Amino acid sequence: MQKKLYKLLEFNKQFVQDEQYEPMITDGHPNEGLLILSCMDARLVELAHRSLGLKNGDVKFLKNAGAQIQSDDDSIMGSILVGTYALGCEEVVIMGHTDCGFGKLKPEVMFDAMKEKGITDELIQSLDYDFDNMFNGFSVTEDNVRKNVEKVRNHSLFNKEIPVHGVIIDSKTGEVTLIDDGYKQ
């Protein structure tokens, strides 16, 4: 097994020693007042920031599989509430992307992968999880973005004065398309 973390830690030593962090020093509040929820897709790590002209400290950037809000009380929704009430976020953007792997996901695929790694049917069936919600993708990215925009807008604790936007980023070119303009609500 490769020890990938050790490679990162070795780089980090040099990064700190050379004080390469200095241009990135900022406080914890987003300079641009934005909170973006996006997919955890590896192609978006730099692409989303560069294609929007963002630098370190400009936004609160939340990521998970499929840019999903699973329920009113999940950690993503909690983070959106913290960002907007306590950390200076004045707008929220839900950012889907083209060719999303989560969009194609089905619970059966996850169960098969788990079983290959030794997770039993008995354990899966004994858990009180909403697997259909947790591991079920979507067929139309635009619909998924709109659905999650509405989840934020309609959340009972969300500040209705804050605009919630929906966009889709092309995972190859970085082109961003506005799907739902929160200013027009």
Side-chain angles (χ1 to χ4, degrees), residues 35-99:
L35 182 148
I36 298 174
L37 168 60
S38 185
C39 184
M40 65 183 199
D41 190 295
R43 295 170 290 184
L44 304 182
V45 171
E46 286 187 61
L47 184 64
H49 285 78
R50 286 188 183 194
S51 68
L52 294 170
L54 298 172
K55 61 186 184 314
N56 194 56
D58 281 350
V59 299
K60 293 289 182 190
F61 213 91
L62 307 176
K63 298 180 108 183
N64 70 4
Q68 295 289 303
I69 300 166
Q70 297 291 339
S71 66
D72 280 350
D73 63 348
D74 75 1
S75 65
I76 290 293
M77 194 62 224
S79 294
I80 291 170
L81 294 172
V82 168
T84 56
Y85 281 107
L87 299 176
C89 297
E90 301 165 342
E91 296 185 35
V92 174
V93 178
I94 308 298
M95 178 185 284
H97 70 95
T98 59
D99 191 34

Side-chain angles (χ1 to χ4, degrees), residues 110-126:
M110 286 297 297
F111 296 147
D112 290 345
M114 289 176 187
K115 290 174 193 174
E116 285 178 20
K117 297 294 183 183
I119 303 296
T120 65
D121 279 327
E122 293 78 24
L123 176 58
I124 292 171
Q125 293 170 4
S126 74

Side-chain angles (χ1 to χ4, degrees), residues 44-45 50 52 73 76 103 114 124 131 135 139 145 149 152 164 176-177:
L44 304 182
V45 171
R50 286 188 183 194
L52 294 170
D73 63 348
I76 290 293
M114 289 176 187
I124 292 171
F131 287 116
F135 298 135
S139 56
V145 168
V149 164
V152 175
V164 183
V176 176
T177 303

